[in-house]
Amino acid sequence: MIDDREKTPRVMIAGTGAYLPERILTNAELETMVDTSDEWIVTRTGVRERRIARPDEATSDMAIPAAKQALEDAGVSAADLDLIIVGTVTPDMIFPNTACLVQSAIGATKALCFDLSAACSGFLYSMETARGLLLSGLYETALVIGADKMSAVTDWEDRGTCILFGDGAGAVVLKKTFTHRGIMATSFGADGSLGDLLMIPGGGSRCPASHESVEQRQHVVKMAGNNVFKHAVRCMTEAGREALEKAGLTIADVDWVIPHQANMRIVQAISDRVGIPMERFIVNLDRLGNTTAATVPLALDEGVRDGRIKRGDVLLSIVFGGGFTWGATVLEY
Ligand code: ACO
């Protein structure tokens, strides 16, 4: 008789959750802040509006309600969590890490907690890290969150970036399974030699906060948009194809694509190149902008809650972000 110990474990998503700040910032309002137009923003990026957190609302304040919702959806108690990873580039502070703040708020008393910095790839990188730790046999249940308050690090005078970003948080509970395909294959990569094209230079040990660093606007996002755009399309397309190939699946097997969403033209280019029509993409960019590490878990939660994504569906998620970092994950929801 074969018992569970002789079968290969997999890791599956047991529940999802999301949180969005209430305040909506429209393109019309941005027109009064920088030299731009609703028409330019919609045509060049696809963004119509985005959510902006309150000044007193930090990244953990968004991560905590998303986490609670994911735990409820999964039917898992916080006390049973072994691991919490928060993908973020906008932690509440340098330390303690955001995962510890979440842990304390939800009462996950036995969880190992850390943040993971991979910009817009942060959620998928975190999910891959959690998968490895669960499959190692050391842990059973993980909470993975993608949360960012990009409005806190946006240069509100730079029309090339301030139109893009929004705030939010999304979460999943991951569990080990022997009966579900769960995460089937992944493909991840990074290229640190291109890091300068998308960065926040200030606030770390190379450029600590000082009067000069603030005057020189070192604590906000700097992006060579056009160059990032080209790399994003190439890396996301290749990662998506590779993950599908490793899973032994074709594009016909994919029910939904959940891409990172920085620009609708990037999403469209991936749809064209990978060969999966836009109708099978879960898109939130038009209403939420680029929510960095939160984009993928927010779109996933939306698709699950509105009934588009059903148990058994095959999902392909593809991301790209600062670092550069990128990756793709194929899973059965
Ligand atoms: N309103 C009006 N005009 C604008 C605006 C604006 N908001 N922003 C730029 N322009 C102008 C530029 O000044 C330029 O004018 P010029 O030709 O007179 O010099 C013109 O529009 C074209 O500028 P580009 O930068 O070439 O515009 P592009 O079509 O590349 O769009 C954008 C810019 C939206 C930033 C795009 O490059 C992009 O989306 N890049 C990818 C972003 C991305 O993928 N980021 C990765 C994830 S983010 C993360 O990891 C944190």
Side-chain angles (χ1 to χ4, degrees):
M1 199 178 88
I2 297 174
D3 71 13
D4 278 355
R5 280 168 297 178
E6 288 171 74
K7 289 189 210 158
T8 312
R10 292 282 182 99
V11 170
M12 67 175 286
I13 294 178
T16 68
Y19 175 83
L20 290 168
E22 275 172 30
R23 164 147 158 66
I24 293 172
L25 175 64
T26 63
N27 289 350
E29 228 177 313
L30 277 166
E31 284 177 356
T32 68
M33 294 161 63
V34 287
D35 179 16
T36 190
S37 65
D38 174 55
E39 198 262 333
W40 193 95
I41 301 173
V42 172
T43 336
R44 303 304 295 167
T45 74
V47 183
R48 294 180 183 276
E49 59 186 40
R50 68 288 287 144
R51 300 296 183 98
I52 302 294
R54 295 188 314 269
D56 68 340
E57 200 171 31
T59 296
S60 71
D61 297 320
M62 300 190 287
I64 291 161
K68 287 181 177 167
Q69 204 179 54
L71 286 168
E72 195 187 333
D73 188 37
V76 167
S77 143
D80 290 332
L81 288 173
D82 301 305
L83 178 65
I84 302 177
I85 309 178
V86 179
T88 186
V89 283
T90 52
D92 288 28
M93 57 197 96
I94 291 184
F95 70 86
N97 66 47
T98 317
C100 281
L101 303 174
V102 173
Q103 183 239 18
S104 147
I106 64 175
T109 42
K110 68 167 184 178
L112 167 78
C113 301
F114 62 94
D115 290 0
L116 190 151
S117 167
C120 298
S121 309
F123 175 76
L124 228 51
Y125 258 62
S126 298
M127 205 161 81
E128 180 71 346
T129 305
R131 178 170 82 112
L133 288 168
L134 296 191
L135 292 182
S136 76
L138 290 174
Y139 308 103
E140 294 293 321
T141 310
L143 173 65
V144 175
I145 301 171
D148 270 303
K149 181 181 177 180
M150 289 304 285
S151 64
V153 293
T154 294
D155 183 346
W156 291 103
E157 289 176 18
D158 174 17
R159 67 177 182 172
T161 53
C162 75
I163 53 150
L164 296 171
F165 296 106
D167 303 332
V172 297
V173 172
L174 297 181
K175 275 169 80 166
K176 238 157 66 177
T177 173
F178 291 92
T179 56
H180 191 277
R181 283 186 294 173
I183 297 174
M184 290 184 262
T186 62
S187 167
F188 280 89
D191 185 351
S193 72
L194 299 170
D196 289 357
L197 296 175
L198 175 54
M199 70 195 306
I200 298 176
S205 58
R206 183 159 305 280
C207 174
S210 65
H211 290 295
E212 292 80 47
S213 73
V214 172
E215 271 160 22
Q216 290 163 6
R217 311 180 81 75
Q218 296 297 300
H219 302 272
V220 290
V221 175
K222 314 279 179 199
M223 180 169 73
N226 217 298
N227 218 334
V228 176
F229 189 111
K230 287 177 207 152
H231 287 286
V233 171
R234 184 176 53 79
C235 295
M236 291 174 83
T237 304
E238 284 171 10
R241 284 185 185 143
E242 192 174 298
L244 277 179
E245 200 181 306
K246 281 191 193 170
L249 299 178
T250 69
I251 53 173
D253 298 309
V254 176
D255 295 294
W256 296 103
V257 182
I258 306 181
H260 175 62
Q261 300 169 44
N263 187 314
M264 196 57 85
R265 291 183 293 135
I266 297 179
V267 180
Q268 182 68 60
I270 291 159
S271 161
D272 294 343
R273 286 167 198 224
V274 177
I276 302 178
M278 281 296 286
E279 298 76 59
R280 284 198 268 148
F281 281 61
I282 309 262
V283 171
N284 58 16
L285 178 78
D286 51 334
R287 289 156 290 126
L288 305 183
N290 176 358
T291 49
T292 308
T295 301
V296 166
L298 281 170
L300 170 67
D301 182 74
E302 182 181 320
V304 167
R305 282 175 201 278
D306 69 19
R308 274 178 290 174
I309 298 174
K310 297 181 180 58
R311 284 285 170 200
D313 280 358
V314 172
L315 312 183
L316 169 64
S317 183
I318 320 178
V319 294
F320 182 87
F324 287 155
T325 53
W326 61 84
T329 295
V330 184
L331 62 93
E332 177 187 326
Y333 175 66

